[in-house]
Amino acid sequence: MRGRLVFRFLAEVHRLDTLATATTTPGYDDDFKEPALLDTGDAIGARVRREHPPVLLPCQVESQSFDALQIFASGNVPASRVLLLCHFRDLERAGLVDPATGDALVRVGDRLGALFDSGGALVQRIRTPPGLYVTEARPIGFGLFMPRPRRNLLQLVLEERSTAAPRGAS
């Protein structure tokens, strides 16, 4: 017995393909170690990011804030913070648990593309940019079944990433 999700949705998760991103020009930013920005002439830039094909993961959604407005001297910045709870049983079925280490393969830097109801109907597509990206992937819920304790949930914290101007943009 490992429990189950309550109020089940499907999350369209786009996992970052680190190898493909590293071999694409300009690859990773030397300073920040994240996919670099490519100058597109609009002073915003396009992130050079390669992703694995999207996967639909059953999850429970806990929205803490969505498009809340933060006002700065340089302008308005929307801020969102969403928690997704995924069951390790579903991750195992999708092949998203490393059998050698037990680590979940949904990691920091992965992107949420959309949320669907349990029947597959679109609930909300996530605008990118700014997008919602995994900033924390934390296993939780250890030891619920006393005869054979196991972890059962992966908590994903997703937050927006602001898009900055690339170096040399005017």
Side-chain angles (χ1 to χ4, degrees):
M1 176 165 170
R2 291 174 76 182
R4 63 182 178 86
L5 296 174
V6 184
F7 308 119
R8 191 177 177 108
F9 284 84
L10 296 172
E12 179 186 86
V13 176
H14 298 258
R15 295 184 312 120
L16 176 63
D17 187 336
T18 55
L19 182 60
T21 301
T23 58
T24 302
T25 303
Y28 284 95
D29 183 281
D30 293 332
D31 297 323
F32 298 108
K33 308 298 184 219
E34 65 178 23
L37 289 173
L38 183 63
D39 188 355
T40 57
D42 63 358
I44 295 176
R47 198 160 295 281
V48 177
R49 175 187 170 89
R50 300 294 175 257
E51 298 173 330
H52 293 284
V55 61
L56 288 176
L57 290 177
C59 67
Q60 186 171 312
V61 181
E62 297 180 12
S63 177
Q64 294 188 333
S65 66
F66 206 86
D67 283 344
L69 191 61
Q70 291 184 0
I71 301 172
F72 293 100
S74 60
N76 299 333
V77 177
S80 297
R81 182 177 168 90
V82 175
L83 299 180
L84 297 183
L85 297 175
C86 299
H87 203 291
F88 265 95
R89 179 180 50 240
D90 297 320
L91 295 169
E92 291 160 358
R93 286 183 190 146
L96 294 175
V97 176
D98 185 332
T101 63
D103 289 340
L105 297 179
V106 178
R107 297 187 170 140
V108 170
D110 293 347
R111 180 176 64 86
L112 178 64
L115 293 170
F116 299 89
D117 67 18
S118 59
L122 178 67
V123 173
Q124 182 161 3
R125 178 109 9 230
I126 306 301
R127 287 186 319 272
T128 303
L132 285 175
Y133 294 85
V134 176
T135 59
E136 181 182 358
R138 181 169 55 117
I140 59 173
F142 286 83
L144 293 179
F145 185 54
M146 293 311 291
R148 187 169 174 230
R150 299 172 74 178
R151 66 184 173 186
N152 66 341
L153 296 176
L154 178 69
Q155 177 180 291
L156 301 173
V157 178
L158 296 111
E159 297 175 306
E160 289 184 359
R161 280 191 163 169
S162 60
T163 304
R167 281 182 268 176
S170 50

